[in-house]
């Protein structure tokens, strides 16, 4: 029932979201931990930069990425010099774009979770001679579990809904960069409203179920 | 104290309503490839007629969806000939008002000199990683690009190198930013006064693809509006035609009005 290019778009979108979420959970942990603990005067600026994708139109982000990752851009020249080639029009390029685009959706829940833990449990663990790494895995991770759940769900879902960045950076290549949102746009522009409805409806349902699961598993009132 | 916000709101509403009732404006939906010439034409039109043309730029496919859903556009300057025809059949536009206002020219372009030769032979060599084109399903220039490659027998060979912009503007960005070494763009994007602005280009002969006819049509909301009729007449006039030519479009000699 599902046409092959629809299937490849769905698969690609899930892949992109999964890879992006995993990377973001690692990077996000580091940034959120620093933001939650630091007293540096850079806390404000760094927090603002992390939050930028919340307010910037994705096309702005995509446009700058296209230029900086391109052959004349600083990052593009770097990736070429180390033999990676150019990132635009590749899956890796979309991952880079998505990581930036979804960054605040992962960092902010984690930061809130880390801040809610406070210093005391960590100090208590330290008096029991727990190493920093040990403290992170045995104290912080369990206590921030629901923060991680929110971060993962929001990061994943937000990447699935990404459009502007992918549009600017992707080049609409079937199986490589043509994700669901672009496919829906293609259908609408080509006046194929039936196909557009099917994908768009599926996306709506999926997003609702994901968020429903998150809010049911993670009711407010428990640890944020 | 209470009356002030009320007064402010009423005066705002009156101000807004004034624009709507005076009827000296014409709302025009313009295909994005025609942005620059239409701005120039609108300025001339305003001077000549006293009417004001309010321009919205976008893709023809989006405009179609918006018009079908009650967008208040009075004129559509489409990027193709099919959409106005379809709107006329749907009853969303005035029958018999369609005409070709411009014919687009397709060009293969690279921002670097010496990449594209004047016969397009570079396409056959395949010495590039990406060739950009507008999505053939969505954009007339993309369709013409594929028709050109079909005529040259190169579609299959080059398809793995395709990167597609959603429209011709985005395709131009892919090439001008250097991310695609070359691509099929609109000649109007890369020329100034009939000459190539920079880089290297091949103007694709019109024998290799179907003509890129861009048609205009009077939409139902523009019926019996003097400003709309006036703009359509202006578009067919010599002053507008010379602007259209200077932006790298050609004109069809026969007029279907």
């Amino acid at each position: 029932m599902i046409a092959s290019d629809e299937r490849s778009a769905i698969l690609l979108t899930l892949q992109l979201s999964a890879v992006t979420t995993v990377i973001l959970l690692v990077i996000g942990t580091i940034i959120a931990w620093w933001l939650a603990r630091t007293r540096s005067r850079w806390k404000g600026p760094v927090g603002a930069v992390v939050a930028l994708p919340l307010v910037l139109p994705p096309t702005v982000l995509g446009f700058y990425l296209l230029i900086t990752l391109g052959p004349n851009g600083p990052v593009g020249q770097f990736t070429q010099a180390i033999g990676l080639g150019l990132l635009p029009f590749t899956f890796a390029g979309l991952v880079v774009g998505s990581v930036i685009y979804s960054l605040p959706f992962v960092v902010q829940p984690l930061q809130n979770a880390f801040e809610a833990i406070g210093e005391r449990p960590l100090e208590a663990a330290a008096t029991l001679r727990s190493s920093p790494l040990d403290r992170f895995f045995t104290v912080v991770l369990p206590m921030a579990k629901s923060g991680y759940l929110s971060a993962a769900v929001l990061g994943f879902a937000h990447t699935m809904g990404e459009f502007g960045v992918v549009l600017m950076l992707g080049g609409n290549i079937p199986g490589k960069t043509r994700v669901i949102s672009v496919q829906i746009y293609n259908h609408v522009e080509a006046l194929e409203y039936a196909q557009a409805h099917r994908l768009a409806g599926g996306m709506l349902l999926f997003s609702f179920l994901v968020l429903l699961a998150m809010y049911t598993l993670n009711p407010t009132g428990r640890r944020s | 104290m209470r009356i002030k916000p009320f007064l402010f709101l009423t005066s705002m509403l009156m101000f807004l309503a004034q624009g709507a009732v005076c009827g000296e404006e014409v709302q025009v939906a313009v295909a994005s490839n025609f942005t620059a010439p239409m701005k120039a034409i609108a300025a001339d039109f305003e001077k000549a007629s006293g009417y004001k043309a309010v321009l919205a730029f976008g893709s023809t496919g989006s405009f179609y969806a918006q018009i079908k859903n009650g967008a208040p556009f009075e004129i559509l300057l489409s990027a193709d000939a099919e959409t106005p025809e379809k709107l006329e059949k749907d009853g969303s536009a005035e029958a018999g008002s369609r005409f070709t206002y411009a014919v687009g020219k397709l060009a293969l372009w690279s921002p670097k000199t010496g990449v594209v030769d004047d016969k397009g032979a570079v396409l056959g060599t395949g010495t590039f990683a990406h060739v950009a084109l507008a999505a053939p399903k969505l954009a007339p220039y993309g369709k013409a690009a594929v028709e050109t490659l079909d005529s040259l027998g190169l579609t299959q060979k080059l398809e793995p190198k395709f990167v597609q912009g959603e429209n011709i503007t985005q395709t131009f960005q892919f090439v001008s930013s250097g991310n695609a070494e070359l691509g099929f763009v609109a000649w109007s994007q890369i020329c100034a006064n009939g000459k190539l602005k920079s880089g290297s280009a091949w103007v694709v002969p019109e024998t290799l693809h179907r003509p890129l006819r861009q048609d205009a049509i009077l939409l139902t909301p523009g019926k019996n509006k003097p400003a709309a009729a006036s703009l359509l007449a202006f578009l067919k006039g010599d002053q507008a035609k010379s602007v259209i030519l200077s932006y790298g479009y050609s004109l069809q000699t026969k007029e279907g009005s």
Side-chain angles (χ1 to χ4, degrees), chain B residues 197-211:
Chain B
K197 275 189 278 193
S198 67
S200 51
W202 169 51
V203 181
V204 179
E206 284 166 18
T207 47
L208 292 181
H209 59 81
R210 272 177 286 174

Side-chain angles (χ1 to χ4, degrees), chain A residues 32-44:
Chain A
W33 184 256
W34 184 82
L35 282 171
R37 287 286 175 271
T38 186
R39 290 198 183 85
S40 157
R41 63 197 169 97
W42 290 101
K43 180 176 175 167

Side-chain angles (χ1 to χ4, degrees), chain A residues 104-120:
Chain A
F105 291 83
V106 171
V107 168
Q108 292 185 349
L110 291 182
Q111 187 185 342
N112 291 339
F114 294 156
E115 279 169 355
I117 294 172
E119 299 286 346
R120 295 201 56 177

Side-chain angles (χ1 to χ4, degrees), chain A residues 10 13 17 157-162 179-182 184 196-210:
Chain A
I10 293 171
T13 310
S17 302
H158 193 243
T159 306
M160 279 199 68
E162 177 180 15
V179 297
I180 297 177
S181 57
V182 173
I184 293 175
H197 272 309
R198 223 178 307 149
L199 272 184
M203 192 94 165
L204 188 70
L205 190 69
F206 179 85
S207 306
F208 173 74
L209 290 178
V210 162

Side-chain angles (χ1 to χ4, degrees), chain B residues 8-122:
Chain B
F8 174 73
L9 272 178
T10 353
S11 53
M12 279 297 285
L13 278 176
M14 281 169 71
F15 173 75
L16 289 172
Q18 211 176 15
V21 292
C22 75
E24 291 188 356
E25 284 182 355
V26 49
Q27 311 283 333
V28 195
V30 184
S32 42
N33 79 69
F34 203 62
T35 301
M38 194 53 204
K39 278 183 181 165
I41 292 171
D44 290 344
F45 170 68
E46 214 171 313
K47 259 182 243 153
S49 69
Y51 295 123
K52 189 172 162 41
V54 181
L55 309 178
F57 304 102
S59 84
T60 302
S62 302
F63 280 139
Y64 177 81
Q66 289 166 358
I67 290 164
K68 292 294 292 171
N69 289 289
F73 298 119
E74 292 160 89
I75 289 175
L76 170 69
L77 298 187
S78 176
D80 61 5
E82 289 83 16
T83 307
E85 204 179 323
K86 195 157 11 182
L87 284 165
E88 187 177 314
K89 273 198 202 119
D90 294 347
S92 305
E94 289 307 296
S97 66
R98 267 186 299 134
F99 69 99
T100 301
Y101 64 92
V103 181
K105 281 189 206 163
L106 184 70
L108 182 69
W109 177 62
S110 160
K112 289 191 186 144
T113 51
V115 174
V116 178
D117 53 288
D118 61 2
K119 294 204 172 55
V122 61

Side-chain angles (χ1 to χ4, degrees), chain A residues 43 45 49 64 69 71 84 92 94 96 102 109 125 130 133 138 141 144 178 190 196 198 208 210:
Chain A
K43 180 176 175 167
V49 168
Y64 279 130
L69 300 182
L84 280 178
L94 289 196
V96 171
S102 296
S130 157
L133 212 61
T138 55
L141 267 190
R178 186 184 287 167
R198 223 178 307 149
F208 173 74
V210 162

